[in-house]
Amino acid sequence: HPTPEWYEPLRAASSFEDFQELFHEGGHESKCLRPCAVREKWSEELQNPQGLSQFWTEEFQNETLPDPNIEIDRPRPFIRRRRQWRDMMSCRRRHSWEGSLDLPEGWVCDGSSVRPEEGNQQLMSFATVETEPYINHYQGNNPLHVEVDPVRSNNYFLIIGDWGKADGPGPCQRTVAEKMRSYVEAQKSAGKRLMVIGSVGDNFYWSGADAGSWDRQFEPAYKTNEEGSPLAKVPWLVAMGNHDYGDNDPYGFCPDRAPDHIKRIHEGQAYAHSQLNRDRSSVRPQNYDHYWFPDLNFHYEIPEADVEFISLDTNFDNVVNHLGADAQGFRDAFAKCGGVEPVAQYLRRVQESGTALLRERAEKGNASTVVILQHYPWACQKDVFLQGLPEWRKSTKVLCAWGHDHSQECLGQSEGTCDTVLTGGGGGCCGNHKAGFTAVHLTDDGGFITDVESDAVSMPSHDCHWRRM
């Protein structure tokens, strides 16, 4: 067992009844019943001082050992250990590392709270959780100077999600990327201009990006720096998914805790996420400035095309409540951030700032088409945006796009136009899921036409199966 001290002074050779009694008295979550026949004597290792001594920790060395010739219920050190074990199990059920075998190094659970061990100054700051509102700092009025065709209907954009693969492009990712390039070439021949590519998250599997991720996982598939490529230097407007956080980029969960060589401070706020633009990231390569991610929530207006994109980070619920600190690929990140609670507080603040941004853009924006990019099904908060529109903007057309589910599907329509899109097929998947991307063409009346599932943008499920490689 990885933590045998929890069961001291029992040993592997101890009887089944001894373990059952331990679980019963210790308040184990399995609610183990007391053994049918309570033994008057415990097994030999509980009566033999020499046998007991090898299991007791230093805190018990001054305890008086029981006389092996006297029948007893339990040795006193065992009672103390049992109570500690019971408190630890109760504490683990209530606090940050529920389900884990061990607390991160330097942390203790005293039965009522999880806290840094006494004297550990490096971790003491984790005991205080940041509660200030998260502020999104960026410039949103076409900072990349995207050029558009003066005829609105000659402009379009693509949306893709769940395209990343650890260590390099997978076969489905490459196939979808080739299809994207072919689509763009065909549209160019028809006089159409690609403005941007929106990404709805899970960009770098499995646990976030590092300094080499763009060269290793992004560029070989999409060829955005290759002269003559249909996707060369096309801006990508990015949203974050659950796999964009994790052990490869641990301080993305808690930038205030990041070491100074990783942390970046902008207008008094700490940043440490690897995928952010170079002024907020310590590892972003210089030749990927077209991969646009100025803050965890942001908007991007292209006034010349009468369109606005809003990117939201909606990871709070899934990362904290469904993955948690013991999920594969997240353990080190949660440990470095001090557990679930600091991460939850941070992601909650980020998500609340995204909701506030939606309300702000509803009030202050003026685009006839608004595109909301985020990762999770039915989490784009379209109702929040619509409720915030002033009367003169009530005719605004809103497109919600997300991924997480690895397929391509139109999930909702308004006035005959698909405006709710699942587009998580960028890396393919499995079963009946389709691989592909979404194309959205603007119309001269201020609206748009969406293509999610045609042969031009997607592939039948049997053509491209995703594999965890």
Side-chain angles (χ1 to χ4, degrees):
H1 193 278
T3 52
E5 67 274 10
W6 291 7
Y7 306 98
E8 293 174 2
L10 300 181
R11 299 186 296 184
S14 298
S15 70
F16 175 85
E17 289 81 5
D18 285 349
F19 279 99
Q20 187 174 350
E21 178 74 5
L22 176 68
F23 291 161
H24 172 75
E25 292 292 337
H28 191 268
E29 57 192 358
S30 63
K31 303 186 185 303
C32 197
L33 299 176
R34 183 183 295 277
C36 294
V38 179
R39 300 165 54 137
E40 294 182 358
K41 291 185 179 181
W42 282 67
S43 54
E44 181 179 352
E45 64 268 17
L46 298 186
Q47 299 185 53
N48 183 346
Q50 288 73 31
L52 279 170
S53 62
Q54 62 179 312
F55 296 103
W56 290 341
T57 58
E58 292 181 0
E59 63 184 294
F60 296 146
Q61 287 181 354
N62 295 325
E63 291 282 349
T64 302
L65 297 180
D67 186 338
N69 297 316
I70 300 176
E71 291 187 2
I72 58 171
D73 288 333
R74 299 168 185 85
R76 286 196 296 133
F78 175 51
I79 294 174
R80 181 181 296 185
R81 171 61 69 184
R82 186 197 66 199
R83 287 173 178 167
Q84 286 190 332
W85 177 85
R86 178 189 60 203
D87 290 344
M88 176 63 75
M89 292 305 297
S90 176
C91 189
R92 286 174 183 278
R93 286 195 295 273
R94 294 195 304 272
H95 294 285
S96 298
W97 289 272
E98 180 179 354
S100 300
L101 293 175
D102 296 289
L103 297 174
E105 182 178 357
W107 291 82
V108 295
C109 178
D110 60 12
S112 61
S113 64
V114 175
R115 56 178 175 79
E117 63 186 2
E118 187 174 354
N120 194 327
Q121 297 299 322
Q122 183 178 3
L123 296 179
M124 288 303 294
S125 63
F126 290 164
T128 302
V129 176
E130 179 64 58
T131 58
E132 291 296 320
Y134 184 90
I135 306 298
N136 300 296
H137 299 287
Y138 64 92
Q139 197 279 95
N141 188 5
N142 197 10
L144 295 178
H145 307 291
V146 174
E147 296 182 356
V148 304
D149 191 285
V151 178
R152 191 174 192 266
S153 57
N154 284 338
N155 299 286
Y156 72 101
F157 56 91
L158 305 180
I159 311 176
I160 190 172
D162 301 88
W163 45 265
K165 179 193 172 294
D167 301 322
C172 278
Q173 181 185 357
R174 289 184 183 275
T175 302
V176 172
E178 290 171 3
K179 199 172 190 70
M180 289 174 65
R181 292 195 296 273
S182 297
Y183 184 91
V184 173
E185 286 182 332
Q187 294 299 314
K188 183 177 180 180
S189 298
K192 307 297 183 181
R193 181 187 290 268
L194 173 63
M195 297 185 296
V196 298
I197 299 172
S199 178
V200 294
D202 278 5
N203 310 316
F204 293 102
Y205 281 79
W206 292 94
S207 306
D210 57 34
S213 293
W214 283 264
D215 288 339
R216 187 175 63 247
Q217 298 170 245
F218 177 73
E219 183 61 20
Y222 304 108
K223 305 184 186 306
T224 65
N225 285 322
E226 182 177 303
E227 186 177 353
S229 167
L231 302 183
K233 299 303 181 182
V234 174
W236 287 59
L237 307 181
V238 181
M240 306 309 290
N242 49 293
H243 285 292
D244 294 306
Y245 287 97
D247 291 352
N248 288 344
D249 191 12
Y251 296 105
F253 275 153
C254 55
D256 286 326
R257 323 293 198 203
D260 289 343
H261 71 280
I262 294 176
K263 184 190 306 183
R264 296 291 181 267
I265 303 296
H266 186 81
E267 297 192 24
Q269 183 166 275
Y271 293 87
H273 203 297
S274 294
Q275 290 189 52
L276 288 166
N277 288 353
R278 284 193 292 132
D279 63 337
R280 316 288 168 88
S281 168
S282 63
V283 302
R284 271 285 296 269
Q286 293 188 10
N287 54 335
Y288 293 101
D289 287 345
H290 52 285
Y291 187 92
W292 190 250
F293 187 38
D295 214 312
L296 296 177
N297 306 286
F298 68 94
H299 81 276
Y300 195 107
E301 295 177 274
I302 307 178
E304 297 82 359
D306 200 15
V307 63
E308 176 177 339
F309 299 84
I310 303 176
S311 171
L312 303 177
D313 188 312
T314 54
N315 281 287
F316 164 69
D317 181 64
N318 187 70
V319 170
V320 173
N321 297 326
H322 298 287
L323 292 175
D326 204 39
Q328 183 178 355
F330 288 79
R331 294 187 184 99
D332 184 53
F334 274 90
K336 287 180 176 178
C337 291
V340 170
E341 187 58 25
V343 172
Q345 290 288 349
Y346 178 72
L347 291 181
R348 183 186 292 113
R349 290 164 52 223
V350 169
Q351 184 160 313
E352 288 172 351
S353 75
T355 301
L357 177 62
L358 279 177
R359 296 191 178 100
E360 177 185 321
R361 295 313 305 162
E363 179 182 354
K364 296 182 178 180
N366 56 21
S368 62
T369 294
V370 173
V371 183
I372 303 176
L373 306 171
Q374 60 82 41
H375 188 59
Y376 298 98
W378 308 107
C380 77
Q381 305 170 78
K382 181 178 180 179
D383 57 331
V384 172
F385 183 84
L386 293 177
Q387 290 169 10
L389 290 172
E391 284 298 323
W392 66 272
R393 291 198 70 194
K394 293 297 184 182
S395 62
T396 302
K397 308 298 183 183
V398 181
L399 171 63
C400 279
W402 60 70
H404 198 57
D405 294 335
H406 292 208
S407 193
Q408 297 291 122
E409 186 176 356
C410 176
L411 297 177
Q413 297 189 13
S414 296
E415 301 177 357
T417 298
C418 176
D419 60 2
T420 304
V421 170
L422 166 62
T423 184
C429 186
C430 42
N432 293 322
H433 293 203
K434 290 184 175 181
F437 57 94
T438 295
V440 184
H441 289 254
L442 301 180
T443 58
D444 291 330
D445 61 359
F448 55 86
I449 299 172
T450 307
D451 186 358
V452 190
E453 302 178 70
S454 78
D455 292 342
V457 298
S458 70
M459 291 167 282
S461 57
H462 61 270
D463 278 10
C464 187
H465 273 216
W466 171 88
R467 292 179 293 168
R468 179 168 184 159
M469 300 172 61

